[in-house]
Amino acid sequence: MLLTEPKFESPLQGSRQQLAKVIDIMGLGQSMYNRLAHPDRIVTVHSPVRMDDGSIRVFAGYRVQHNNALGPYKGGLRFHHHAEMDEFTALAMLMTWKCALVGLPFGGAKGGITVDPRELSVGELERLTRRFTSDLIPIIDPKKDIPAPDVNTGPREMAWIMDTFSVNKGYAVPGIVTGKPICVGGSLGRSEATGRGVTIILEETLRHFGKKISGTKVAIQGFGNVGGVTANLLYQMGAKVVAVSDWRGGIANPEGLNIADVMLHYKEHATLGNYQHAEQVSNADLLIMPCDVLIPAALESVITPENADRIKAEIIIEAANAPTTPAGEAILEKRGITVVPDILANAGGVVVSYFEWVQGMSQLFWSEEEVNDRLRRILTRSFAQVAQKVEREQLSFRMAAYSVGVGAVAEATRVRGLYP
Ligand code: GLU
């Protein structure tokens, strides 16, 4: 190992540990580790916002640009009260490997604001998003750095970002952000893309082990844009979705939930609480309940040494970014549980972001079938590439995916050289 193992695993320590491991496996050396373990640039802003009561609050916001060896920095913006710089740095690194793994001409970035958006009115949230965008203008651009949705952000926020940037330029700039509403240059299929990608990767994983989706028992932590879409698609494909949850807690039924009915309930009440036709389950218990496949689709660091020895699933598909800590994963690996890593499992979102960017830059729009077909082709090809490495080189799925992603970035870094 290049690094001594840290006692406490923050997401950044975890990401660096995983990078060190793959650098060792591939024999890329300490100098390459030094270049890839650190982001190119971290920008911190303090965005003042007039609140509804007339007072002014100042919010801390960040954009971490990790690496652009393969193309413009790319990655989401999250609004979360626990989000801070090290976490954004870890997530930006993951974006670099993810884009490289699936062959996109993008680097990696991540950013956002330390805020609980539920505490703000829509007007306050809009003013905050627009001011934050203005503060980032020196470093974002369709050819430099292209933000996208992440936790607690979606098409509405992306439209505000596109508008703020465009008003400053004096013309519409659709390529500045992806995940926009369709009417301002968004792509068909983008809002479902991450969840659809998760189901494609699950299908491929099951096929790899000679299994089928139909009848497979799946527990999903999260019911947002990723967890909700994944649950719905898997339900339509005949899987038994035995549990889903939101940040307050979850619902479970060992025989499978009626997800169509759960979706209706969620649309009406904006919560899974008080849903009558299922048992209540906590987010912690959901992770260790009996199922074949576990899909963490919420936040990072939820699978740790605290619960890894009690997980019942045989397969974990990481729909969230960094849901498993390296120490948690070491236990899963010993127990023979397959973990399909985030950079492969949730890459569908950024793949269709790439399609959206290409469509926006070329002013030529594709049908939803075309988007979904191209998405499937890219993800099945990437899965096959990773699975082949798993077989041939006896690697875990994570290390196989990392060796493709990190390998591509390292090669580009090497041939581009160092300037000045
Ligand atoms: N936030 C998503 C991710 O973590 C999407 C990023 C993007 O589309 O740029 O992959």
Side-chain angles (χ1 to χ4, degrees):
M1 280 294 283
L2 288 162
L3 296 180
T4 50
E5 298 207 356
K7 286 194 184 70
F8 169 75
E9 287 185 303
S10 71
L12 181 55
Q13 286 166 330
S15 291
R16 288 192 171 143
Q17 223 174 301
Q18 278 155 351
L19 173 65
K21 204 168 159 187
V22 76
I23 293 260
D24 258 355
I25 290 173
M26 300 181 78
L28 292 171
Q30 184 74 47
S31 296
M32 189 56 78
Y33 173 83
N34 294 345
R35 287 194 73 177
L36 300 183
H38 302 282
D40 291 345
R41 183 183 287 120
I42 299 181
V43 171
T44 304
V45 298
H46 292 101
S47 302
V49 177
R50 193 173 304 280
M51 307 303 282
D52 291 345
D53 66 5
S55 66
I56 291 175
R57 261 180 78 182
V58 174
F59 295 86
Y62 305 90
R63 186 70 175 168
V64 180
Q65 298 178 329
H66 171 251
N67 182 291
N68 66 351
L70 291 169
Y73 300 104
K74 185 82 191 82
L77 292 174
R78 70 170 54 176
F79 293 174
H80 197 271
H81 47 294
H82 290 146
E84 41 71 45
M85 206 162 71
D86 272 10
E87 178 185 309
F88 289 128
T89 306
L91 296 168
M93 286 173 80
L94 289 181
M95 284 308 303
T96 303
W97 320 142
K98 190 187 304 186
C99 292
L101 164 63
V102 292
L104 306 181
F106 286 142
K110 199 73 153 208
I113 304 173
T114 311
V115 61
D116 183 350
R118 289 171 306 219
E119 286 174 1
L120 302 188
S121 69
V122 175
E124 289 167 341
L125 193 61
E126 176 172 353
R127 292 193 291 280
L128 173 58
T129 307
R130 287 182 181 277
R131 178 59 194 241
F132 177 57
T133 306
S134 303
D135 292 337
L136 292 186
I137 282 178
I139 60 153
I140 58 170
D141 184 89
K143 290 191 178 153
K144 255 199 242 173
D145 183 352
I146 307 132
D150 198 82
V151 174
N152 290 333
T153 57
R156 179 180 65 174
E157 288 75 17
M158 299 308 115
W160 292 334
I161 294 172
M162 182 268 188
D163 184 68
T164 305
F165 190 87
S166 300
V167 166
N168 276 275
K169 287 281 171 194
Y171 51 89
V173 188
I176 185 57
V177 72
T178 59
K180 299 179 294 296
I182 306 293
C183 62
V184 287
S187 174
L188 293 168
R190 174 63 184 89
S191 61
E192 305 83 32
T194 311
R196 185 175 296 280
V198 172
T199 66
I200 293 169
I201 294 298
L202 173 56
E203 248 185 318
E204 293 301 308
T205 308
L206 291 173
R207 200 196 317 272
H208 178 81
F209 290 113
K211 296 178 181 173
K212 284 209 171 81
I213 285 225
S214 166
T216 295
K217 290 192 170 184
V218 186
I220 303 175
Q221 185 185 57
F223 205 65
N225 179 253
V226 181
V229 171
T230 303
N232 198 25
L233 290 174
L234 290 179
Y235 174 72
Q236 288 168 19
M237 291 158 83
K240 280 190 179 169
V241 181
V242 293
V244 292
S245 67
D246 61 22
W247 59 278
R248 294 182 189 87
I251 52 174
N253 181 344
E255 293 314 311
L257 295 158
N258 178 337
I259 295 295
D261 193 50
V262 175
M263 298 281 283
L264 283 177
H265 177 91
Y266 193 74
K267 237 185 201 154
E268 199 176 322
H269 304 277
T271 169
L272 296 169
N274 65 39
Y275 180 75
Q276 299 296 330
H277 316 289
E279 298 156 24
Q280 305 290 314
V281 61
S282 70
N283 265 307
D285 287 343
L286 183 147
L287 296 170
I288 55 170
M289 65 181 280
C291 60
D292 304 310
V293 175
L294 174 64
I295 304 186
L299 293 173
E300 57 273 2
S301 305
V302 294
I303 300 174
T304 68
E306 302 273 289
N307 56 12
D309 52 352
R310 286 175 292 149
I311 283 174
K312 315 272 186 314
E314 289 166 15
I315 295 172
I316 297 177
I317 305 282
E318 292 187 332
N321 287 311
T324 312
T325 68
E329 183 158 22
I331 296 171
L332 298 174
E333 223 172 301
K334 266 194 206 120
R335 296 185 54 214
I337 296 173
T338 298
V339 181
V340 181
D342 44 13
I343 61 169
L344 179 60
N346 72 26
V350 74
V351 169
V352 179
S353 274
Y354 165 61
F355 298 161
E356 179 175 333
W357 180 76
V358 167
Q359 293 171 82
M361 301 290 265
S362 61
Q363 306 287 331
L364 180 71
F365 289 88
W366 308 347
S367 70
E368 188 160 357
E369 291 72 44
E370 187 165 1
V371 168
N372 290 345
D373 278 358
R374 285 175 184 259
L375 170 65
R376 181 175 291 276
R377 259 182 277 149
I378 289 182
L379 290 183
T380 49
R381 183 192 65 200
S382 297
F383 182 88
Q385 204 179 355
V386 171
Q388 199 180 54
K389 270 190 176 284
V390 168
E391 297 289 306
R392 287 199 185 152
E393 297 169 34
Q394 301 291 305
L395 297 173
S396 65
F397 272 82
R398 187 175 320 274
M399 280 303 115
Y402 263 61
S403 70
V404 178
V406 173
V409 178
E411 181 62 4
T413 303
R414 190 185 64 76
V415 301
R416 285 183 60 162
L418 185 57
Y419 169 84

